[in-house]
Amino acid sequence: MAGEIKIGTVWHGAGDGAKPIPATVRIDGDNLSTALAAPTIACVESALDVPSTPTETGLILKLTSSTFFEDGDPGTTFIESLVARNWLAQDRQYDAILALHEALANAIIHGNLAIAGGNAETPEEFKLQGQLIVDRLGDPAFGNLPVTLTAQIVDNGLEISIQDCGKGFTPRPIDPDAPEPDVGILAKRGRGIGLIRESSDGMRHEDNGRRTIIFYSTASNVQ
Amino acid sequence: MQCSVTTSDDSVNLTFSKRLIYSDTAGFAPLLEQVKKHGLPNCAVDLKELEHIDSSGLRMLLLLHDVCRDIGAQLVFKTTQGQVHTMLMHSRFDTIVTIENH
């Protein structure tokens, strides 16, 4: 619920030496930025399972779907933390925020909340979809499902993955050399994947569509 | 999403700030209803303080365009250079809506 104090655990260090700080860290609103600052390697909302094997060259943020929808925009805060660590170049910040928002929308709305994407073409349908989102966010069976963001430094750049708990889907093949199909000016849907591609240096799906991985090359990063 | 709504004799004015993204889906529907209810001949949308928009936000603006078309209102977006203006131009919104860029 908006305004609720959110508590999480942050981990410092890596591997077997990683130790959780007592779970008194606020992760709501502006406090999330502090929680994600170095040397944190993982920040997990209370009551969620801790991801395995956090490493010093990565950063994990795991929150419930309902928390991602509250004020404060955790996705933007996550990207800002990567820029602050010099893992992502400043001039790619807005690209990465856009790509992450697109992936988060798919992960939460279509993945965890299991809401189909093709039925909100009119204001009336849009209103119904909005109410369905509110209803499902308030239902623990949907709203408490986590989304895990992981940033990992790789040999030639930075990968940002977005993992949901939905039923997944069969992604259409992505030809990195082919332009994204024109969806048309008035299209109410179908822009997301194209925007991720255009605002990143690569993307792919794994885990039957439940994990989207967005890539930024070393050439556009500050190491 | 943060949005203020004001009206004048012939215009409903929406002023957005912060972000217009996927998490604003539920909050945007009442704005569409307000614009439709007022039924004024002009709808001015100030996006100059809006910092970020994604494809869900674009869809919301398209739905606003549909509502204005249905009630016969002239829709104008007011922007400044930045991510929002770039997204609108990239999506060719300037071919369906008047965009005043200052």
Side-chain angles (χ1 to χ4, degrees):
Chain A
M1 300 296 291
E4 179 183 353
I5 295 175
K6 294 283 184 177
I7 302 298
T9 301
V10 294
W11 285 35
H12 293 176
D16 293 338
K19 296 187 183 302
I21 288 177
T24 54
V25 178
R26 288 185 61 169
I27 57 172
D28 51 336
D30 293 338
N31 297 296
L32 182 60
S33 178
T34 302
L36 286 174
T40 293
I41 59 172
C43 178
V44 181
E45 186 171 345
S46 294
L48 296 178
D49 293 335
V50 176
S52 60
T53 63
T55 72
E56 288 179 337
T57 57
L59 178 65
I60 295 170
L61 175 63
K62 186 175 183 180
L63 304 174
T64 62
S65 296
S66 59
T67 296
F68 269 107
F69 258 72
E70 293 173 1
D71 289 344
D73 189 7
T76 291
T77 305
F78 185 76
I79 296 299
E80 289 172 344
S81 74
L82 302 181
V83 173
R85 292 164 185 249
N86 287 333
W87 292 359
L88 180 70
Q90 177 82 47
D91 63 3
R92 300 306 302 272
Q93 176 172 324
Y94 287 106
D95 282 345
I97 289 171
L98 175 60
L100 181 55
H101 280 156
E102 299 301 333
L104 275 171
N106 290 335
I108 298 173
I109 297 174
H110 306 319
N112 286 358
L113 303 187
I115 295 173
N119 56 356
E121 301 286 323
T122 68
E124 292 74 21
E125 292 170 340
F126 179 75
K127 180 181 178 182
L128 291 174
Q129 187 185 64
Q131 187 56 53
L132 183 57
I133 289 172
V134 171
D135 292 345
R136 295 216 168 152
L137 286 172
D139 180 346
F142 294 99
N144 285 356
L145 290 176
V147 170
T148 304
L149 307 182
T150 304
Q152 186 72 48
I153 295 175
V154 294
D155 286 343
N156 53 350
L158 177 71
E159 287 187 341
I160 301 170
S161 78
I162 302 90
Q163 174 82 49
D164 67 63
C165 301
K167 293 182 177 179
F169 67 102
T170 303
R172 63 179 169 84
I174 297 174
D175 180 351
D177 298 322
E180 192 66 17
D182 188 349
V183 298
I185 302 168
L186 297 174
K188 305 286 193 314
R189 54 190 291 263
R191 300 176 193 270
I193 297 298
L195 286 171
I196 294 174
R197 288 184 60 191
E198 292 170 6
S199 56
S200 70
D201 296 323
M203 70 166 292
R204 67 182 190 275
H205 295 290
E206 295 180 350
D207 191 21
N208 194 33
R210 283 181 286 264
R211 181 163 56 244
T212 300
I213 298 176
I214 304 167
F215 173 69
Y216 291 93
S217 74
T218 303
S220 59
N221 287 334
V222 178
Q223 292 290 323
Chain B
M1 176 185 73
Q2 292 185 0
C3 180
S4 66
V5 182
T6 61
T7 58
S8 59
D9 288 343
D10 64 352
S11 179
V12 57
N13 310 301
L14 310 179
T15 301
F16 289 91
S17 59
K18 300 286 187 181
R19 294 165 290 269
L20 189 59
I21 60 175
Y22 67 94
S23 53
D24 298 313
T25 299
F28 197 84
L31 292 176
L32 296 175
E33 293 184 339
Q34 280 193 63
V35 171
K36 186 174 182 179
K37 182 180 178 182
H38 286 300
L40 293 168
N42 295 292
C43 179
V45 180
D46 190 336
L47 302 170
K48 292 193 289 263
E49 297 298 319
L50 190 66
E51 299 168 1
H52 189 82
I53 192 169
D54 65 5
S55 67
S56 299
L58 291 178
R59 180 175 64 156
M60 296 172 209
L61 295 182
L62 280 171
L63 288 163
L64 179 60
H65 165 266
D66 290 353
V67 167
C68 288
R69 180 197 59 206
D70 292 346
I71 64 174
Q74 177 72 35
L75 178 62
V76 176
F77 291 157
K78 299 178 180 179
T79 66
T80 58
Q81 293 298 324
Q83 191 265 346
V84 175
H85 181 74
T86 300
M87 281 279 283
L88 293 179
M89 299 305 288
H90 179 75
S91 303
R92 293 177 286 155
F93 273 39
D94 58 318
T95 64
I96 58 171
V97 178
T98 300
I99 296 179
E100 296 178 355
N101 183 37
H102 301 288

